[in-house]
Amino acid sequence: MPELPEVETVARGVDKHVRGDRIVHAWFSNLPQPFKTPPSQQAKGLAGRAILAVHRTGKHIVFELGALGKESGRSATSTKKGAEPAGQWIVHLGMTGRLLVSVPDSPVAPHTHARLELASGRELRFVDPRRFGRLEFRELGGGEAFTAPGAEPLTIGAGEFAALFRRRHLPIKAALLNQGILSGVGNIYADESLFQAGIRPRRRTDRLTIAELDRLHTALRQVLNQAIRLGGSSVSDYVDADGARGFFQLEHCVYQRTGEPCRRCGTPVRRIELAGRGTHYCPKCQR
DNA sequence: CATTTCACCTGGTGGC
DNA sequence: TGCCACCAGGTGAAAT
């Protein structure tokens, strides 16, 4: 489910509900799959922490956590401004992960792998049927704060953007999906931005002109920003922190529209396989 | 090295 | 109704 716009939507929603709250108790399933840090270690690490803020980096949701101990840190510690995060909880949603803010007595969905009980009485739940998601806890002694490996698509400039692709020899779609180059772009927004830019997914990055890379830079940011405004794409089961669906799927021009007429020229949308992923494009509008 | 393929999982859909 | 093939928002390890 989750690419940059969906992850951004979830992170904003979670932040709104849990910023300033405190984790009273954390429960984790004991399956091997969705844990980058062993569940027992996460449970111990999270209990008692204040949640300072929640934000997105690439496709990761990062919880900035306060220092442990000092019950109800109201007195002495409250005066120091901008407390440094002492730990981080990092959530990657994989394909089917959901992060939901619930009331504690609401029914627990199948495939719930984490439940964080909060001081406010709310409960934060991580649900992930396919278990491609990842949960990680980091103690921040000195450094080691999480950073996404690739460039942020929404803030990168046109020149830097073009430079990312200059001397590579892979299809542009494969490059867009590579998180080490750009972080946050996935299958939907790769296809949609290439359509907006009029570029075929198989074109090799080192054969694209500066003008084409400029178009792609503009198209990508435009597509991502509009998707964020619409709360992301709910293709099958994606929902935000409140369980609400997004609406950008109604704006898709090519993604999962195989055989349907191109919204611009009417030519049937074509589907190929590229980099192991279903890839959709208009053979007339994209060259 | 850089690039490509495949395994990791569950569930929904559509054909027969 | 059941069975089966195929598809799905991602990514790291293995192969080329």
Side-chain angles (χ1 to χ4, degrees):
Chain A
M1 107 193 187
E3 301 181 35
L4 188 154
E6 291 78 29
V7 178
E8 178 70 31
T9 303
V10 171
R12 285 181 188 177
V14 171
D15 182 76
K16 191 175 66 188
H17 291 303
V18 309
R19 178 191 286 252
D21 212 332
R22 180 177 292 272
I23 301 162
V24 173
H25 180 258
W27 170 91
F28 294 91
S29 73
N30 57 359
L31 292 167
Q33 247 342 323
F35 301 107
K36 206 161 167 183
T37 310
S40 56
Q41 212 173 304
Q42 297 201 35
K44 203 194 298 177
L46 292 175
R49 304 269 186 173
I51 300 171
L52 307 178
V54 184
H55 64 272
R56 173 197 66 80
T57 319
K59 291 178 190 171
H60 298 264
I61 299 166
V62 180
F63 288 69
E64 304 290 353
L65 305 171
L68 212 42
K70 317 281 164 9
E71 266 315 305
S72 76
R74 267 290 121 84
S75 47
T77 53
S78 65
T79 48
K80 66 177 165 188
K81 43 196 144 185
E84 290 289 304
Q88 290 179 321
W89 191 45
I90 300 143
V91 176
H92 191 292
L93 300 172
M95 289 275 253
T96 52
R98 297 180 179 196
L99 204 49
L100 297 164
V101 179
S102 329
V103 291
D105 52 347
S106 65
V108 177
H111 308 292
T112 298
H113 297 107
R115 301 175 67 178
L116 307 199
E117 192 187 316
L118 305 177
S120 64
R122 280 185 277 260
E123 190 171 295
L124 191 62
R125 297 178 185 175
F126 177 71
V127 181
D128 184 11
R130 287 179 76 179
R131 285 183 270 141
F132 288 169
R134 289 293 177 268
L135 302 180
E136 178 183 0
F137 173 76
R138 292 194 185 202
E139 191 82 53
L140 296 183
E144 281 125 26
F146 178 82
T147 46
E152 268 293 329
L154 292 180
T155 50
I156 191 171
E160 292 173 90
F161 182 84
L164 293 175
F165 306 108
R166 229 53 339 263
R167 30 177 84 118
R168 291 188 172 265
H169 312 278
L170 71 170
I172 183 60
K173 166 139 180 194
L176 289 173
L177 293 177
N178 183 333
Q179 303 298 295
I181 301 176
L182 275 177
S183 40
V185 182
N187 209 33
I188 295 175
Y189 301 102
D191 281 4
E192 292 299 318
S193 60
L194 286 169
F195 172 80
Q196 291 299 337
I199 299 168
R200 289 214 186 181
R202 279 211 226 267
R203 294 278 303 284
R204 276 176 40 163
T205 59
D206 54 351
R207 306 246 183 95
L208 295 174
T209 65
I210 289 290
E212 286 172 325
L213 287 169
D214 275 349
R215 257 155 47 206
L216 183 56
H217 175 242
T218 302
L220 180 59
R221 288 175 306 148
Q222 188 185 301
V223 163
L224 293 174
N225 279 318
Q226 200 200 344
I228 291 171
R229 262 180 262 127
L230 295 181
S233 300
S234 288
V235 170
S236 60
D237 59 356
Y238 158 74
V239 291
D240 70 13
D242 296 310
R245 293 167 56 83
F247 294 95
F248 191 73
Q249 67 280 7
L250 303 174
E251 308 292 317
H252 291 175
C253 289
V254 287
Y255 179 77
Q256 282 195 344
R257 295 192 64 245
T258 310
E260 291 173 49
C262 169
R263 294 198 198 285
R264 187 179 295 159
C265 77
T267 304
V269 169
R270 191 171 293 175
R271 181 187 189 279
I272 59 174
E273 181 160 321
L274 199 164
R277 320 296 304 277
T279 296
H280 317 77
Y281 69 97
C282 171
K284 189 169 171 197
C285 296
Q286 295 174 255
R287 302 289 174 177

